[in-house]
Amino acid sequence: DPAQPLPSKKAPLDIQVVSLDWKWLFIYPKLGIASINRLVVPAAVPLHLTLTSASVWNVFWVPQLGSMLYCMNGMAGTLYLEASRPGVYRGESAMISGNGFADMHFDTDAVSRDRFTAWVAAARGAGPALDEAAYRELLRQSVPPRPYTYRSVQPGLFHDIVTQRLPPGDGPQPHGVPGVRPVALQ
């Protein structure tokens, strides 16, 4: 059951996940940082993921780590995973969600505890703050050219996304892919 905690003597790391058009937002609420399109975790530590979508249905999936989970706007789901050893595990969107779907992937970097601590410190020292204005910018449909971090996160931001105090994203637009026209059936 993906919603059941994994047996471990270690406390799970809480991560809030938001699928956006066409990127993934990872909020580390107890650490006060966030990242786009890169999930960094300590190896051999259970992960407690709480997931939602900023617009259309999506599916969060890191095949080498286990179960996939649907993300829906206005709802929060729970998923427990663990990377038992260091490595880079590819994460995917497993739901077609418009023009940028093919580029909606991320790396899950499972690292040693020391490397994770160093990454957290580096994230806190660089990048912008993730507040309501920055989140509204993330709602714009785009595929970021590379992963990046936020040095701080507005408290309660994930709650405001799930409860729709913040607006949902637009979702796929009807204009389709430039230069592609439907074939008329006779």
Side-chain angles (χ1 to χ4, degrees):
D1 182 352
Q4 291 297 314
L6 299 173
S8 178
K9 293 180 181 179
K10 297 176 184 172
L13 175 63
D14 291 324
I15 302 170
Q16 298 165 332
V17 181
V18 182
S19 73
L20 294 139
D21 296 330
W22 296 283
K23 53 201 159 277
W24 292 96
L25 169 62
F26 301 102
I27 300 171
Y28 299 74
K30 293 180 181 172
L31 301 174
I33 60 171
S35 65
I36 292 290
N37 284 351
R38 184 174 180 221
L39 177 59
V40 180
V41 300
V45 172
L47 308 175
H48 171 222
L49 306 171
T50 308
L51 303 99
T52 194
S53 174
S55 64
V56 299
W57 262 26
N58 220 308
V59 180
F60 174 91
W61 190 27
V62 183
Q64 291 175 289
L65 299 186
S67 300
M68 64 172 64
L69 192 75
Y70 282 85
C71 307
M72 299 184 324
N73 185 255
M75 299 181 72
T78 300
L79 176 63
Y80 284 89
L81 296 176
E82 181 177 327
S84 58
R85 62 184 181 279
V88 178
Y89 306 94
R90 186 169 175 94
E92 297 285 341
S93 165
M95 181 73 138
I96 296 174
S97 60
N99 297 349
F101 159 74
D103 295 311
M104 193 172 169
H105 46 79
F106 60 93
D107 283 339
T108 302
D109 293 332
V111 298
S112 68
R113 182 52 111 173
D114 289 344
R115 284 191 58 203
F116 180 72
T117 300
W119 178 80
V120 170
R124 286 180 175 155
L130 180 56
D131 56 14
E132 185 173 325
Y135 176 74
R136 288 176 184 267
E137 286 296 315
L138 285 174
L139 285 174
R140 293 181 188 206
Q141 294 178 334
S142 66
V143 176
R146 62 182 170 21
Y148 58 92
T149 59
Y150 289 94
R151 73 180 184 297
S152 64
V153 178
Q154 176 180 309
L157 184 68
F158 185 80
H159 178 265
D160 291 345
I161 295 166
V162 172
T163 61
Q164 300 181 337
R165 191 190 79 65
L166 290 173
D170 292 334
Q173 300 301 305
H175 54 74
V177 178
V180 175
R181 306 267 187 272
V183 175
L185 300 176
Q186 298 182 16

